[in-house]
Structure formats: C-alpha cells, structure tokens
Amino acid sequence: MQVFIMRHGDAALEAASDAVRPLTLCGCDESRQMASWLNSKMPEIDKVLVSPYLRAGQTLATVREALKLPEGQEVLPELTPGGDPGMVACHLQALAIQGVHAVLVISHLPLVGYLVSELCPHEAPPMFATSAIACVDFDAEACEGKLAWQVSPSKLAKAI
C-alpha cells in the first residue's frame, strides 16, 4: 500500500485555539500546487484520513480541487499534533489488509514525522514543511514501510 502523508498548509498564528487555526492564502496555494503535482505522479487514492483540526480539513478541501479523491473522508482524533503514531500505523495496517492500495493522510507536526518513523523503523522522523508530502511504500504483512520520497513546495519551485 502507498501511504501519502501530508502536513497541512500554512496556517494563521492567531485563533481562539490551535484546533481552529485557518489556512492562509499561501497555505491554500501551496496545498493546491502540491496536489496538482501529486496528481501527475500517482495512482488513484482509495481512502482519505484527516485530522479533525480546521486547517487540515481546509487543506483537504483545497487538495480536492486539484486531485481526484474518493467521496468522503475518515476524521481520526489520533491525527492531531499530539496524536499516537502507533495507533495511526495500526489503522493503516488494517486498511492495507482490507485491500486499500493508496491512502492520503493529512495531519500536523510532529505527528507526520513520527508517523513516517513508525511506518519505516529505519527512518528518523523527517521534518515536514507546510504542505509537504512524503510517500511510504507500506508492506502490511511485514508491518514495515520504506520512505520512497518526500517533496515540499519549495523543492517543487526549484524543480520547475
């Protein structure tokens, strides 16, 4: 199974709480740019997992503008910044066993880095710029993955 792990787009610093910080215009633009790039690279995504926080949901809405995704999404409380990467990895393993081939996960720092490390035991948790995406090739039977690539908006800009 391919697991695409994306950090939400750039978000406003000021809000009533961390959970309701909205995306900035730059965050929307960078997320759309990353989705458009991903659209040219990959197979169809079967499942979407997203954090319950506002900026993650807004990132997903922006990504949907440029990337064909299945209807609906699964909102997981474990995908918040302090969530449990082990629980998310177990959920992903269950999805893989059910025959899901590609999953998009939209979450936050530090969880996105810890999730890569949880799925790929030989990888230190990588840093994620906002809107960055990492691809993990995950083998459910071995319960182990391999980090295939990681791309951020600034890397895309340099490649163009």
Side-chain angles (χ1 to χ4, degrees):
M1 176 171 78
Q2 285 190 303
V3 182
F4 299 95
I5 301 168
M6 182 176 193
R7 182 179 173 202
H8 63 79
D10 183 58
L13 297 176
E14 297 298 317
S17 73
D18 187 41
V20 297
R21 290 175 45 217
L23 285 188
T24 63
L25 208 49
C26 175
C28 289
D29 289 345
E30 287 182 341
S31 295
R32 194 176 298 108
Q33 176 188 9
M34 291 299 295
S36 186
W37 174 82
L38 189 58
N39 191 41
S40 69
K41 297 277 175 236
M42 52 152 304
E44 201 170 301
I45 289 178
D46 304 312
K47 186 93 172 158
V48 177
L49 308 179
V50 65
S51 159
Y53 283 19
L54 176 64
R55 60 191 177 273
Q58 289 177 327
T59 298
L60 174 57
T62 303
V63 166
R64 284 189 185 280
E65 295 172 15
L67 183 63
K68 185 178 183 292
L69 294 173
E71 289 289 318
Q73 62 272 346
E74 191 173 346
V75 178
L76 290 183
E78 295 84 16
L79 289 176
T80 55
D84 182 347
M87 288 181 73
V88 178
C90 286
H91 190 73
L92 289 167
Q93 183 178 21
L95 291 174
I97 290 168
Q98 292 169 17
V100 173
H101 297 290
V103 178
L104 173 64
V105 178
I106 300 178
S107 187
H108 313 264
L109 276 182
L111 184 80
V112 287
Y114 292 143
L115 182 56
V116 169
S117 191
E118 185 75 28
L119 295 173
C120 310
H122 305 295
E123 291 284 338
M127 278 305 298
F128 273 74
T130 52
S131 299
I133 302 173
C135 176
V136 172
D137 292 322
F138 184 66
D139 179 344
E141 289 181 19
C143 197
E144 190 170 307
K146 181 177 184 303
L147 180 59
W149 50 259
Q150 183 181 17
V151 177
S152 64
S154 64
K155 284 185 183 173
L156 262 192
K158 290 175 187 165
I160 294 172

